[in-house]
Amino acid sequence: MMDDLTGRTVGFIGLGLMGRPMARNLAKAGASLVIHSRSPGPIEELAKEGMSPAASPAEVAARADAVILMLSDTVAVETVAESLLESLRPGHLIVDMGTTAVAATRRIAEAVRAKGAEWVDAPVSGGTVAAEAGTLTIMAGGGEDAFARALPLFGVLGQRITHVGDVGAGQVAKTANQVIVALTIGAVAEALALAKAAGVDPAKVREAIRGGFAESRILELHGQRMVTGDFTPGGRVATQIKDLRQAEELAEQAGIQLPALGLSLELFEMLAEQGDGGLDHAALYRLFVR
């Protein structure tokens, strides 16, 4: 059941494909939203719905004790965190729900904790469909108390919520998730391309194998996008590339080799090079079928 956030003021920074519906769900649960984003369009859109714009991340933190970040990449998180630090005070809770590099997450969390505030890394899976429905999968890293404070917010935004471990553990889990997503998109794309090349309708093949050992959310959702050719972005190719580069970096830091990850990254980079970086990552199918 959705938590009631009536009376709470929540800051939200980053109003892209995922951030907008997430902010709306918090507002529907009764929270007063203080918002900031790099692009003015989403701010104007959500201000019309009653949310309160702030001129900077520092102003968001000055007006809200809990601040959620849903930003595009690690560089953006580092830039926003630098601004937030100006206004942080003991008791502040900062929750990063984007996909951020593990080493940077731990470094930023240390600076935040030095101010007496708490940092929780809580990346999500499920894409825009789950963001809109409030059914995101949330994997969180942080202290027990910080996680407990963030839980009412997570209850509004997600359905499956796991406290994985201390700071950075959520990002490690998300990196593992992104490796599985990327490799499975590749498997589905190659399988359906093979069906088509062999003269069989890939939509019928997808229908035939649904429910068997090959079943997955990727076959269900991304497979449907492949057979219909609708690659309106839920998760962009460019974002997938960023996440896989972070996964390679983490693998290097951890001292292991992941050859299939390297090949997957190369394929998505080829897709971007042919001009498809803004499409949904299911468009990997286009490498094999035009």
Side-chain angles (χ1 to χ4, degrees), residues 202-212:
K204 286 290 185 186
V205 170
R206 173 179 165 274
E207 186 183 322
I209 62 177
R210 292 283 317 274

Side-chain angles (χ1 to χ4, degrees), residues 3-219:
D3 288 69
D4 183 3
L5 301 179
T6 303
R8 289 196 64 173
T9 299
V10 178
F12 204 105
I13 302 173
L15 301 168
L17 285 174
M18 298 286 289
R20 273 194 303 266
M22 291 166 72
R24 285 189 172 111
N25 283 335
L26 291 165
K28 281 179 197 166
S32 298
L33 270 289
V34 179
I35 56 172
H36 178 76
S37 197
R38 188 169 47 189
S39 305
I43 293 176
E44 290 163 12
E45 183 184 326
L46 295 181
K48 288 175 185 171
E49 297 174 22
M51 299 184 203
S52 177
S56 67
E59 187 188 329
V60 174
R63 293 168 56 190
D65 289 330
V67 180
I68 292 174
L69 313 182
M70 195 65 197
L71 301 164
S72 58
D73 54 34
T74 300
V75 173
V77 172
E78 289 173 325
T79 303
V80 166
E82 198 174 317
S83 178
L84 285 173
L85 284 167
E86 298 170 21
S87 298
L88 285 190
R89 53 189 179 269
H92 252 125
L93 175 67
I94 311 299
V95 184
D96 177 18
M97 301 192 77
T99 304
T100 306
V102 175
T105 292
R106 290 174 174 153
R107 187 174 63 248
I108 296 165
E110 198 174 321
V112 166
R113 284 172 165 177
K115 292 267 191 174
E118 291 287 355
W119 182 276
V120 173
D121 52 293
V124 301
S125 182
T128 51
V129 172
E132 287 162 8
T135 58
L136 289 164
T137 295
I138 300 173
M139 44 213 97
E144 293 283 354
D145 290 347
F147 174 74
R149 287 180 59 202
L151 201 50
L153 303 175
F154 296 157
V156 170
L157 300 171
Q159 202 163 51
R160 186 180 182 88
I161 303 156
T162 306
H163 187 198
V164 185
D166 205 353
V167 166
Q171 295 296 355
V172 171
K174 178 60 189 287
T175 302
N177 180 87
Q178 293 306 81
V179 170
I180 293 169
V181 167
L183 295 181
T184 309
I185 286 174
V188 172
E190 290 192 22
L192 296 181
L194 176 62
K196 185 166 186 178
V200 177
D201 181 357
K204 286 290 185 186
V205 170
R206 173 179 165 274
E207 186 183 322
I209 62 177
R210 292 283 317 274
F213 272 8
E215 179 65 294
S216 68
R217 286 285 283 166
I218 301 290
L219 181 63

Side-chain angles (χ1 to χ4, degrees), residues 194-276:
L194 176 62
K196 185 166 186 178
V200 177
D201 181 357
K204 286 290 185 186
V205 170
R206 173 179 165 274
E207 186 183 322
I209 62 177
R210 292 283 317 274
F213 272 8
E215 179 65 294
S216 68
R217 286 285 283 166
I218 301 290
L219 181 63
E220 178 191 353
L221 299 177
H222 295 72
Q224 177 67 12
R225 291 169 186 160
M226 291 173 195
V227 299
T228 61
D230 180 5
F231 300 117
T232 304
R236 295 182 195 276
V237 170
T239 304
Q240 185 72 69
I241 290 169
K242 180 266 294 182
D243 291 349
L244 292 180
R245 285 176 179 161
Q246 287 182 181
E248 277 208 324
E249 182 183 292
L250 183 60
E252 190 176 326
Q253 290 163 358
I256 63 168
Q257 291 187 333
L258 302 176
L261 166 61
L263 176 57
S264 178
L265 175 56
E266 284 179 29
L267 293 173
F268 279 105
E269 286 174 337
M270 285 169 60
L271 188 62
E273 283 163 14
Q274 70 180 31
D276 291 337

